């Protein structure tokens, strides 16, 4: 491993560890290096806090003068909630900046690199590290390039393609190791989405509960790192990596449709970190019904968002969550909800756990009208396949925008 690889990997690890706390900003990592020695590291903080470059420069102090800076995304050059990172880099006396990826944000888009060069800072665009940088920054890139959050469809199903039996029993199709990996992913997502049917049938917590797994499951990825066939996806590798250090935090719980029980007793209502999207007429008809006394206050607080009758549900949900600063979504709902997102073109990534079990019938992964022609099917690209416990992990991206 050459020094560039070593320093970029450190920066990428720092960026990865911040995914889930920086939205709507990108998760970025930075490393200050002098004479081949790492002086300091930094990761972007909660929106409104310091960016990665400033964190690393502050930690380096005067030692930053004449040093190199490795950063996972082009430094910003505009005033937002914080001053431009380019100003901080120039003021610190950094000699050289190594960056793998230009920021597609129109406020930056090459202007950060130009500003640094104009001030006499050498800037090197290291494109060989671009795939790893894209993988770590993808939720933000999706936000900028598509104008909506990045959506991962997660599902566990039997080898013959069913997520549950005909009566809805689904616990547990997947292995404990697969479920543990999903909880790691939840720790990094801004929101997890299900349909009202899932809330009613399963009473899910939709929280991150890494600490609830036994030690042998929690240590699985340290003792036996995933061995991939096909693409070794940089993002998924870090999710399953032994160096995973992301904090145990739970995403916003989102229900599409109003659950039958809105009394506040179910797991979905465990705290205020939830949002329900429901058609306006559905909610208004229940305002005075017994058991729904909480609805007016929940609408007022924004926990329930009313969908106008003329709006496409999925597109409306994506628009509202985008406005709320959501970058990364885990879609965990049932087959009908998955079909709605698929038909709307709002699934970007697929994470499937295929269990060595045969149901012989039951509930499918995606249930919709489907396509009439094979030539019209959505292609999955950059496949990563690995054994996860007893399951086959199958991961890939919707083949739409090659920039992602």
């Amino acid at each position: 491993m050459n020094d560039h690889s070593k320093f970029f990997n450190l920066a990428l690890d720092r960026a990865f560890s911040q995914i889930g706390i920086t939205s709507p900003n990108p998760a970025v990592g930075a490393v200050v290096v002098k004479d081949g020695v790492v002086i300091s590291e930094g990761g972007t903080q909660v929106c409104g806090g310091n960016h990665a470059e400033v964190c690393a420069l502050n930690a380096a102090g005067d030692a930053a003068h004449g040093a190199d800076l490795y950063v996972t995304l082009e430094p910003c050059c505009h005033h937002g909630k914080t001053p431009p990172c380019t100003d901080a880099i120039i003021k610190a006396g950094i000699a050289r900046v190594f960056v793998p990826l230009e920021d597609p944000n129109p406020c930056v888009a090459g202007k950060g690199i130009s500003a640094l060069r104009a001030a006499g800072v050498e800037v090197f665009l290291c494109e060989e590290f671009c795939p790893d940088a894209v993988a770590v920054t993808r939720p933000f890139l999706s936000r900028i390039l598509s104008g909506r959050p990045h959506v991962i469809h997660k599902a566990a199903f039997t080898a013959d393609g069913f997520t549950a039996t005909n009566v809805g029993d689904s616990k547990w199709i997947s292995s404990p190791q697969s479920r543990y990996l999903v909880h790691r992913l939840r720790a990094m997502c801004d929101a997890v989405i299900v349909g009202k049917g899932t809330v009613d049938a399963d009473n899910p917590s939709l929280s991150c509960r890494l600490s609830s797994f036994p030690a042998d499951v929690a240590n699985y990825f340290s003792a036996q790192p995933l061995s991939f066939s096909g693409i070794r996806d940089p993002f998924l590798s870090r999710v399953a990596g032994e160096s995973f250090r992301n904090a145990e935090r739970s995403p916003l719980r989102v229900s599409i449709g109003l659950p039958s029980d809105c009394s506040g007793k179910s797991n979905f209502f465990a705290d205020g970190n939830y949002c329900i999207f429901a058609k306006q007429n559905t909610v208004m008809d229940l305002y005075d019904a017994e058991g729904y006394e909480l609805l007016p206050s929940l609408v007022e607080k924004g926990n329930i968002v009313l969908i106008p009758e003329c709006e496409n549900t999925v597109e409306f949900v994506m628009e509202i969550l985008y406005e709320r600063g959501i970058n990364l979504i885990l879609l965990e709902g049932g087959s009908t909800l998955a079909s709605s997102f698929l038909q709307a073109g709002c699934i970007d990534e697929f994470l499937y756990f295929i269990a060595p079990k045969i149901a012989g019938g039951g509930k499918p992964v995606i249930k919709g009208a489907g396509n009439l022609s094979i030539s019209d099917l959505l292609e999955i690209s950059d496949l990563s396949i690995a054994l996860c416990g007893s399951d086959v992990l199958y991961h890939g991206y919707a083949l739409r925008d090659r920039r992602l």
Side-chain angles (χ1 to χ4, degrees):
M1 179 186 292
N2 60 38
D3 286 344
H4 285 321
S5 295
K6 172 185 175 183
F7 302 140
F8 266 123
N9 277 325
L10 282 174
L12 288 163
D13 284 344
R14 286 305 303 265
F16 180 85
S17 70
Q18 302 304 101
I19 295 176
I21 70 167
T22 66
S23 297
N25 291 337
V28 177
V31 175
V32 176
V33 178
K34 197 167 190 177
D35 299 324
V37 177
V38 174
I39 302 298
S40 64
E41 301 176 23
T44 299
Q45 301 302 298
V46 175
C47 184
N50 286 333
H51 292 186
E53 300 94 320
V54 173
C55 290
L57 292 172
N58 286 346
D62 293 340
H65 189 82
D68 297 334
L69 177 69
Y70 289 79
V71 59
T72 58
L73 184 67
E74 177 184 9
C76 68
C77 55
H78 63 289
H79 283 271
K81 291 187 176 181
T82 59
C85 289
T86 50
D87 289 358
I89 293 169
I90 294 165
K91 183 178 180 181
I94 288 289
R96 300 187 300 177
V97 172
F98 297 88
V99 59
L101 182 66
E102 287 190 6
D103 188 340
N105 185 342
C107 295
V108 187
K111 300 183 190 75
I113 291 174
S114 296
L116 292 173
R117 286 174 173 163
V121 180
E122 288 189 89
V123 181
F124 298 89
L125 194 58
C126 302
E127 294 182 350
E128 65 268 35
F129 300 102
C130 184
D132 286 55
V134 166
V136 171
T137 321
R138 185 173 274 111
F140 171 77
L141 299 179
S142 281
R143 177 183 182 84
I144 295 296
L145 296 174
S146 68
R148 61 169 177 79
H150 184 82
V151 178
I152 302 173
H153 180 219
K154 187 279 298 182
F157 49 89
T158 61
D160 53 346
F162 297 103
T163 61
T165 65
N166 281 318
V167 296
D169 184 21
S170 62
K171 294 183 179 180
W172 294 103
I173 284 177
S174 58
S175 68
Q177 292 81 5
S178 295
R179 299 198 299 276
Y180 182 76
L181 189 64
V182 170
H183 280 258
R184 281 190 171 190
L185 187 55
R186 280 184 185 173
M188 302 158 59
C189 288
D190 301 310
V192 55
I193 296 180
V194 296
K196 69 175 291 296
T198 297
V199 177
D200 290 343
D202 298 343
N203 189 25
S205 297
L206 302 177
S207 58
C208 174
R209 303 184 301 281
L210 291 170
S211 57
S212 70
F213 286 82
D216 63 320
V217 175
N219 294 329
Y220 174 81
F221 297 107
S222 298
Q224 188 174 330
L226 294 187
S227 178
F228 290 95
S229 296
I231 300 294
R232 183 176 178 82
D233 183 78
F235 176 79
L236 190 58
S237 296
R238 284 182 164 84
V239 176
E242 60 179 315
S243 59
F244 183 91
R245 295 291 182 270
N246 298 58
E248 182 173 296
R249 51 172 296 280
S250 292
L252 175 72
R253 302 183 299 281
V254 177
S255 170
I256 310 298
L258 190 68
S260 299
D261 182 4
C262 290
S263 65
K265 297 177 182 178
S266 69
N267 291 331
F268 188 86
F269 297 94
D271 54 40
N273 189 35
Y274 68 89
C275 181
I276 297 168
F277 288 87
K279 287 292 186 180
Q280 188 166 354
N281 64 343
T282 303
V283 176
M284 293 305 181
D285 289 346
L286 293 170
Y287 255 41
D288 298 321
E290 185 177 351
Y292 290 89
E293 295 85 356
L294 291 174
L295 290 188
S297 64
L298 294 179
V299 171
E300 185 177 340
K301 289 190 295 185
N303 289 109
I304 294 180
V305 178
L306 304 180
I307 306 172
E309 291 305 305
C310 61
E311 293 287 345
N312 174 285
T313 297
V314 174
E315 292 176 0
F316 181 81
V317 168
M318 290 291 96
E319 180 182 343
I320 297 299
L321 293 181
Y322 175 91
E323 291 174 354
R324 292 192 176 188
I326 299 295
N327 280 359
L328 182 59
I329 290 172
L330 193 61
L331 179 63
E332 291 198 35
S335 58
T336 302
L337 184 65
S339 177
S340 297
F341 272 76
L342 183 65
Q343 294 304 313
C346 289
I347 297 180
D348 306 290
E349 191 172 339
F350 300 86
L351 179 61
Y352 290 161
F353 299 92
I354 306 171
K357 301 170 184 175
I358 301 296
K363 299 186 181 298
V365 182
I366 298 178
K367 182 181 181 181
N371 293 291
L372 298 178
S373 172
I374 293 295
S375 62
D376 293 331
L377 303 189
L378 176 65
E379 265 190 81
I380 299 177
S381 67
D382 300 329
L383 287 178
S384 300
I385 302 169
L387 282 177
C388 186
S390 58
D391 303 329
V392 174
L393 180 156
Y394 189 92
H395 174 265
Y397 299 91
L399 187 55
R400 291 195 191 98
D401 192 332
R402 294 309 300 170
R403 293 172 294 180
L404 299 175

PDB file of all heavy atoms in Angstrom, residues 12 23 29 35 60 73 94 96 103 143 150 193 213 236 243 249 255-256 271 277 279 321 351 377 383:
ATOM      1  N   LEU A  12     -11.138   8.241   4.347  1.00  0.00           N
ATOM      2  CA  LEU A  12     -12.405   7.581   4.008  1.00  0.00           C
ATOM      3  C   LEU A  12     -13.044   6.932   5.232  1.00  0.00           C
ATOM      4  O   LEU A  12     -14.267   6.944   5.390  1.00  0.00           O
ATOM      5  CB  LEU A  12     -12.175   6.548   2.908  1.00  0.00           C
ATOM      6  CG  LEU A  12     -11.898   7.123   1.511  1.00  0.00           C
ATOM      7  CD1 LEU A  12     -11.291   6.060   0.603  1.00  0.00           C
ATOM      8  CD2 LEU A  12     -13.181   7.686   0.898  1.00  0.00           C
ATOM      9  N   SER A  23     -26.140  14.989   7.643  1.00  0.00           N
ATOM     10  CA  SER A  23     -27.144  15.386   6.647  1.00  0.00           C
ATOM     11  C   SER A  23     -27.806  16.716   7.025  1.00  0.00           C
ATOM     12  O   SER A  23     -28.028  16.992   8.203  1.00  0.00           O
ATOM     13  CB  SER A  23     -28.209  14.296   6.546  1.00  0.00           C
ATOM     14  OG  SER A  23     -27.633  13.091   6.093  1.00  0.00           O
ATOM     15  N   GLY A  29     -14.177  13.138   5.260  1.00  0.00           N
ATOM     16  CA  GLY A  29     -13.041  12.907   6.150  1.00  0.00           C
ATOM     17  C   GLY A  29     -11.821  13.638   5.634  1.00  0.00           C
ATOM     18  O   GLY A  29     -11.650  13.829   4.420  1.00  0.00           O
ATOM     19  N   ASP A  35       5.643  15.339   6.246  1.00  0.00           N
ATOM     20  CA  ASP A  35       6.818  14.479   6.144  1.00  0.00           C
ATOM     21  C   ASP A  35       6.449  13.000   6.277  1.00  0.00           C
ATOM     22  O   ASP A  35       7.141  12.219   6.934  1.00  0.00           O
ATOM     23  CB  ASP A  35       7.851  14.867   7.221  1.00  0.00           C
ATOM     24  CG  ASP A  35       8.340  16.303   7.073  1.00  0.00           C
ATOM     25  OD1 ASP A  35       8.476  16.759   5.914  1.00  0.00           O
ATOM     26  OD2 ASP A  35       8.560  16.959   8.108  1.00  0.00           O
ATOM     27  N   ALA A  60      -4.492  20.054  14.095  1.00  0.00           N
ATOM     28  CA  ALA A  60      -3.073  20.128  13.717  1.00  0.00           C
ATOM     29  C   ALA A  60      -2.400  21.382  14.249  1.00  0.00           C
ATOM     30  O   ALA A  60      -1.194  21.382  14.550  1.00  0.00           O
ATOM     31  CB  ALA A  60      -2.939  20.080  12.195  1.00  0.00           C
ATOM     32  N   LEU A  73     -13.611  14.823  -0.386  1.00  0.00           N
ATOM     33  CA  LEU A  73     -14.455  15.563  -1.318  1.00  0.00           C
ATOM     34  C   LEU A  73     -13.889  16.969  -1.461  1.00  0.00           C
ATOM     35  O   LEU A  73     -13.326  17.516  -0.507  1.00  0.00           O
ATOM     36  CB  LEU A  73     -15.899  15.633  -0.789  1.00  0.00           C
ATOM     37  CG  LEU A  73     -16.951  16.291  -1.689  1.00  0.00           C
ATOM     38  CD1 LEU A  73     -17.191  15.464  -2.953  1.00  0.00           C
ATOM     39  CD2 LEU A  73     -18.279  16.459  -0.931  1.00  0.00           C
ATOM     40  N   ILE A  94      -1.486  25.230   4.288  1.00  0.00           N
ATOM     41  CA  ILE A  94      -1.367  23.905   3.676  1.00  0.00           C
ATOM     42  C   ILE A  94      -0.673  24.042   2.312  1.00  0.00           C
ATOM     43  O   ILE A  94      -1.015  24.928   1.516  1.00  0.00           O
ATOM     44  CB  ILE A  94      -2.758  23.257   3.505  1.00  0.00           C
ATOM     45  CG1 ILE A  94      -3.317  22.839   4.864  1.00  0.00           C
ATOM     46  CG2 ILE A  94      -2.716  22.074   2.547  1.00  0.00           C
ATOM     47  CD1 ILE A  94      -2.620  21.653   5.502  1.00  0.00           C
ATOM     48  N   ARG A  96      -0.140  21.307  -0.029  1.00  0.00           N
ATOM     49  CA  ARG A  96      -0.730  20.478  -1.079  1.00  0.00           C
ATOM     50  C   ARG A  96      -2.036  19.849  -0.580  1.00  0.00           C
ATOM     51  O   ARG A  96      -2.133  19.450   0.580  1.00  0.00           O
ATOM     52  CB  ARG A  96       0.229  19.359  -1.505  1.00  0.00           C
ATOM     53  CG  ARG A  96       1.559  19.856  -2.059  1.00  0.00           C
ATOM     54  CD  ARG A  96       2.395  18.711  -2.624  1.00  0.00           C
ATOM     55  NE  ARG A  96       2.713  17.708  -1.609  1.00  0.00           N
ATOM     56  CZ  ARG A  96       3.384  16.574  -1.854  1.00  0.00           C
ATOM     57  NH1 ARG A  96       3.781  16.312  -3.105  1.00  0.00           N
ATOM     58  NH2 ARG A  96       3.655  15.723  -0.878  1.00  0.00           N
ATOM     59  N   ASP A 103     -16.906  18.184  -5.992  1.00  0.00           N
ATOM     60  CA  ASP A 103     -18.239  18.300  -5.402  1.00  0.00           C
ATOM     61  C   ASP A 103     -19.217  18.743  -6.492  1.00  0.00           C
ATOM     62  O   ASP A 103     -19.048  19.805  -7.083  1.00  0.00           O
ATOM     63  CB  ASP A 103     -18.204  19.338  -4.275  1.00  0.00           C
ATOM     64  CG  ASP A 103     -19.496  19.391  -3.474  1.00  0.00           C
ATOM     65  OD1 ASP A 103     -20.536  18.922  -3.980  1.00  0.00           O
ATOM     66  OD2 ASP A 103     -19.461  19.913  -2.347  1.00  0.00           O
ATOM     67  N   ARG A 143     -28.484  13.112  -3.509  1.00  0.00           N
ATOM     68  CA  ARG A 143     -29.282  14.283  -3.145  1.00  0.00           C
ATOM     69  C   ARG A 143     -29.057  15.419  -4.138  1.00  0.00           C
ATOM     70  O   ARG A 143     -30.008  16.061  -4.596  1.00  0.00           O
ATOM     71  CB  ARG A 143     -28.901  14.723  -1.728  1.00  0.00           C
ATOM     72  CG  ARG A 143     -29.608  15.968  -1.252  1.00  0.00           C
ATOM     73  CD  ARG A 143     -29.141  16.398   0.131  1.00  0.00           C
ATOM     74  NE  ARG A 143     -29.878  17.570   0.549  1.00  0.00           N
ATOM     75  CZ  ARG A 143     -31.066  17.523   1.123  1.00  0.00           C
ATOM     76  NH1 ARG A 143     -31.650  16.369   1.346  1.00  0.00           N
ATOM     77  NH2 ARG A 143     -31.686  18.637   1.464  1.00  0.00           N
ATOM     78  N   HIS A 150     -31.242   9.299  -1.206  1.00  0.00           N
ATOM     79  CA  HIS A 150     -30.790   8.013  -1.746  1.00  0.00           C
ATOM     80  C   HIS A 150     -31.536   6.904  -1.004  1.00  0.00           C
ATOM     81  O   HIS A 150     -31.607   6.896   0.230  1.00  0.00           O
ATOM     82  CB  HIS A 150     -29.280   7.867  -1.527  1.00  0.00           C
ATOM     83  CG  HIS A 150     -28.690   6.632  -2.120  1.00  0.00           C
ATOM     84  ND1 HIS A 150     -28.341   6.538  -3.449  1.00  0.00           N
ATOM     85  CD2 HIS A 150     -28.375   5.437  -1.568  1.00  0.00           C
ATOM     86  CE1 HIS A 150     -27.837   5.341  -3.693  1.00  0.00           C
ATOM     87  NE2 HIS A 150     -27.851   4.658  -2.557  1.00  0.00           N
ATOM     88  N   ILE A 193     -38.164   3.479   6.183  1.00  0.00           N
ATOM     89  CA  ILE A 193     -39.542   3.598   5.730  1.00  0.00           C
ATOM     90  C   ILE A 193     -40.222   2.235   5.678  1.00  0.00           C
ATOM     91  O   ILE A 193     -39.655   1.269   5.149  1.00  0.00           O
ATOM     92  CB  ILE A 193     -39.615   4.255   4.340  1.00  0.00           C
ATOM     93  CG1 ILE A 193     -39.092   5.696   4.391  1.00  0.00           C
ATOM     94  CG2 ILE A 193     -41.039   4.250   3.796  1.00  0.00           C
ATOM     95  CD1 ILE A 193     -39.141   6.418   3.058  1.00  0.00           C
ATOM     96  N   PHE A 213     -27.582  -7.788  20.460  1.00  0.00           N
ATOM     97  CA  PHE A 213     -27.149  -9.051  19.868  1.00  0.00           C
ATOM     98  C   PHE A 213     -26.099  -9.724  20.751  1.00  0.00           C
ATOM     99  O   PHE A 213     -25.280  -9.045  21.380  1.00  0.00           O
ATOM    100  CB  PHE A 213     -26.567  -8.807  18.472  1.00  0.00           C
ATOM    101  CG  PHE A 213     -27.610  -8.502  17.427  1.00  0.00           C
ATOM    102  CD1 PHE A 213     -28.119  -7.217  17.285  1.00  0.00           C
ATOM    103  CD2 PHE A 213     -28.103  -9.502  16.593  1.00  0.00           C
ATOM    104  CE1 PHE A 213     -29.083  -6.928  16.333  1.00  0.00           C
ATOM    105  CE2 PHE A 213     -29.068  -9.228  15.637  1.00  0.00           C
ATOM    106  CZ  PHE A 213     -29.558  -7.933  15.509  1.00  0.00           C
ATOM    107  N   LEU A 236     -20.262  -1.147   1.383  1.00  0.00           N
ATOM    108  CA  LEU A 236     -20.724  -2.357   2.061  1.00  0.00           C
ATOM    109  C   LEU A 236     -19.590  -3.019   2.836  1.00  0.00           C
ATOM    110  O   LEU A 236     -19.798  -3.567   3.926  1.00  0.00           O
ATOM    111  CB  LEU A 236     -21.309  -3.325   1.038  1.00  0.00           C
ATOM    112  CG  LEU A 236     -22.055  -4.543   1.582  1.00  0.00           C
ATOM    113  CD1 LEU A 236     -23.213  -4.112   2.467  1.00  0.00           C
ATOM    114  CD2 LEU A 236     -22.560  -5.407   0.436  1.00  0.00           C
ATOM    115  N   SER A 243     -13.616  -2.818  11.503  1.00  0.00           N
ATOM    116  CA  SER A 243     -13.290  -1.511  12.063  1.00  0.00           C
ATOM    117  C   SER A 243     -14.513  -0.599  12.184  1.00  0.00           C
ATOM    118  O   SER A 243     -14.371   0.588  12.446  1.00  0.00           O
ATOM    119  CB  SER A 243     -12.233  -0.822  11.190  1.00  0.00           C
ATOM    120  OG  SER A 243     -12.704  -0.651   9.861  1.00  0.00           O
ATOM    121  N   ARG A 249     -27.144   4.771  16.701  1.00  0.00           N
ATOM    122  CA  ARG A 249     -28.181   5.805  16.663  1.00  0.00           C
ATOM    123  C   ARG A 249     -29.323   5.312  15.782  1.00  0.00           C
ATOM    124  O   ARG A 249     -29.111   4.567  14.830  1.00  0.00           O
ATOM    125  CB  ARG A 249     -27.633   7.133  16.102  1.00  0.00           C
ATOM    126  CG  ARG A 249     -26.889   6.987  14.785  1.00  0.00           C
ATOM    127  CD  ARG A 249     -26.535   8.311  14.163  1.00  0.00           C
ATOM    128  NE  ARG A 249     -27.707   9.070  13.784  1.00  0.00           N
ATOM    129  CZ  ARG A 249     -28.403   8.850  12.676  1.00  0.00           C
ATOM    130  NH1 ARG A 249     -28.059   7.881  11.844  1.00  0.00           N
ATOM    131  NH2 ARG A 249     -29.459   9.581  12.388  1.00  0.00           N
ATOM    132  N   SER A 255     -43.756   5.971   8.378  1.00  0.00           N
ATOM    133  CA  SER A 255     -44.829   5.077   7.932  1.00  0.00           C
ATOM    134  C   SER A 255     -45.567   5.730   6.779  1.00  0.00           C
ATOM    135  O   SER A 255     -45.962   6.904   6.868  1.00  0.00           O
ATOM    136  CB  SER A 255     -45.812   4.793   9.070  1.00  0.00           C
ATOM    137  OG  SER A 255     -46.968   4.112   8.591  1.00  0.00           O
ATOM    138  N   ILE A 256     -45.740   4.984   5.696  1.00  0.00           N
ATOM    139  CA  ILE A 256     -46.575   5.457   4.596  1.00  0.00           C
ATOM    140  C   ILE A 256     -47.984   4.911   4.855  1.00  0.00           C
ATOM    141  O   ILE A 256     -48.237   3.717   4.728  1.00  0.00           O
ATOM    142  CB  ILE A 256     -46.056   4.968   3.232  1.00  0.00           C
ATOM    143  CG1 ILE A 256     -44.560   5.266   3.082  1.00  0.00           C
ATOM    144  CG2 ILE A 256     -46.861   5.606   2.106  1.00  0.00           C
ATOM    145  CD1 ILE A 256     -44.207   6.724   3.122  1.00  0.00           C
ATOM    146  N   ASP A 271     -41.014   7.141  20.832  1.00  0.00           N
ATOM    147  CA  ASP A 271     -40.551   8.493  21.118  1.00  0.00           C
ATOM    148  C   ASP A 271     -41.015   9.375  19.973  1.00  0.00           C
ATOM    149  O   ASP A 271     -41.765   8.941  19.104  1.00  0.00           O
ATOM    150  CB  ASP A 271     -39.025   8.543  21.302  1.00  0.00           C
ATOM    151  CG  ASP A 271     -38.271   7.933  20.120  1.00  0.00           C
ATOM    152  OD1 ASP A 271     -38.698   8.159  18.963  1.00  0.00           O
ATOM    153  OD2 ASP A 271     -37.262   7.245  20.333  1.00  0.00           O
ATOM    154  N   PHE A 277     -46.955   9.623   6.855  1.00  0.00           N
ATOM    155  CA  PHE A 277     -47.538  10.265   5.681  1.00  0.00           C
ATOM    156  C   PHE A 277     -48.885   9.599   5.403  1.00  0.00           C
ATOM    157  O   PHE A 277     -48.955   8.375   5.248  1.00  0.00           O
ATOM    158  CB  PHE A 277     -46.629  10.102   4.465  1.00  0.00           C
ATOM    159  CG  PHE A 277     -45.371  10.936   4.533  1.00  0.00           C
ATOM    160  CD1 PHE A 277     -44.230  10.448   5.174  1.00  0.00           C
ATOM    161  CD2 PHE A 277     -45.316  12.196   3.956  1.00  0.00           C
ATOM    162  CE1 PHE A 277     -43.074  11.209   5.249  1.00  0.00           C
ATOM    163  CE2 PHE A 277     -44.163  12.965   4.018  1.00  0.00           C
ATOM    164  CZ  PHE A 277     -43.031  12.476   4.668  1.00  0.00           C
ATOM    165  N   LYS A 279     -52.950  10.202   3.443  1.00  0.00           N
ATOM    166  CA  LYS A 279     -53.811  11.007   2.585  1.00  0.00           C
ATOM    167  C   LYS A 279     -54.688  11.928   3.446  1.00  0.00           C
ATOM    168  O   LYS A 279     -55.208  11.521   4.491  1.00  0.00           O
ATOM    169  CB  LYS A 279     -54.693  10.107   1.728  1.00  0.00           C
ATOM    170  CG  LYS A 279     -53.946   9.389   0.605  1.00  0.00           C
ATOM    171  CD  LYS A 279     -53.464  10.361  -0.477  1.00  0.00           C
ATOM    172  CE  LYS A 279     -52.843   9.621  -1.653  1.00  0.00           C
ATOM    173  NZ  LYS A 279     -52.377  10.559  -2.716  1.00  0.00           N
ATOM    174  N   LEU A 321     -39.123  14.632   2.641  1.00  0.00           N
ATOM    175  CA  LEU A 321     -37.935  14.157   3.355  1.00  0.00           C
ATOM    176  C   LEU A 321     -36.675  14.872   2.862  1.00  0.00           C
ATOM    177  O   LEU A 321     -35.755  15.141   3.641  1.00  0.00           O
ATOM    178  CB  LEU A 321     -37.799  12.643   3.206  1.00  0.00           C
ATOM    179  CG  LEU A 321     -38.906  11.825   3.892  1.00  0.00           C
ATOM    180  CD1 LEU A 321     -38.667  10.332   3.698  1.00  0.00           C
ATOM    181  CD2 LEU A 321     -39.011  12.164   5.379  1.00  0.00           C
ATOM    182  N   LEU A 351     -30.264  -4.291  -1.292  1.00  0.00           N
ATOM    183  CA  LEU A 351     -29.534  -5.112  -0.328  1.00  0.00           C
ATOM    184  C   LEU A 351     -30.456  -6.252   0.075  1.00  0.00           C
ATOM    185  O   LEU A 351     -31.401  -6.074   0.847  1.00  0.00           O
ATOM    186  CB  LEU A 351     -29.138  -4.294   0.902  1.00  0.00           C
ATOM    187  CG  LEU A 351     -28.382  -5.049   2.000  1.00  0.00           C
ATOM    188  CD1 LEU A 351     -27.059  -5.602   1.474  1.00  0.00           C
ATOM    189  CD2 LEU A 351     -28.129  -4.151   3.199  1.00  0.00           C
ATOM    190  N   LEU A 377     -36.858  -4.537 -18.070  1.00  0.00           N
ATOM    191  CA  LEU A 377     -36.525  -4.743 -16.665  1.00  0.00           C
ATOM    192  C   LEU A 377     -35.402  -3.805 -16.224  1.00  0.00           C
ATOM    193  O   LEU A 377     -34.526  -3.449 -17.003  1.00  0.00           O
ATOM    194  CB  LEU A 377     -36.091  -6.199 -16.433  1.00  0.00           C
ATOM    195  CG  LEU A 377     -37.078  -7.297 -16.832  1.00  0.00           C
ATOM    196  CD1 LEU A 377     -36.574  -8.647 -16.329  1.00  0.00           C
ATOM    197  CD2 LEU A 377     -38.478  -7.020 -16.305  1.00  0.00           C
ATOM    198  N   LEU A 383     -22.535  -5.759  -8.913  1.00  0.00           N
ATOM    199  CA  LEU A 383     -23.003  -6.757  -7.951  1.00  0.00           C
ATOM    200  C   LEU A 383     -21.924  -7.153  -6.950  1.00  0.00           C
ATOM    201  O   LEU A 383     -20.764  -7.395  -7.316  1.00  0.00           O
ATOM    202  CB  LEU A 383     -23.475  -8.006  -8.690  1.00  0.00           C
ATOM    203  CG  LEU A 383     -24.800  -7.898  -9.452  1.00  0.00           C
ATOM    204  CD1 LEU A 383     -25.088  -9.208 -10.165  1.00  0.00           C
ATOM    205  CD2 LEU A 383     -25.935  -7.537  -8.518  1.00  0.00           C
TER     206      LEU A 383
END
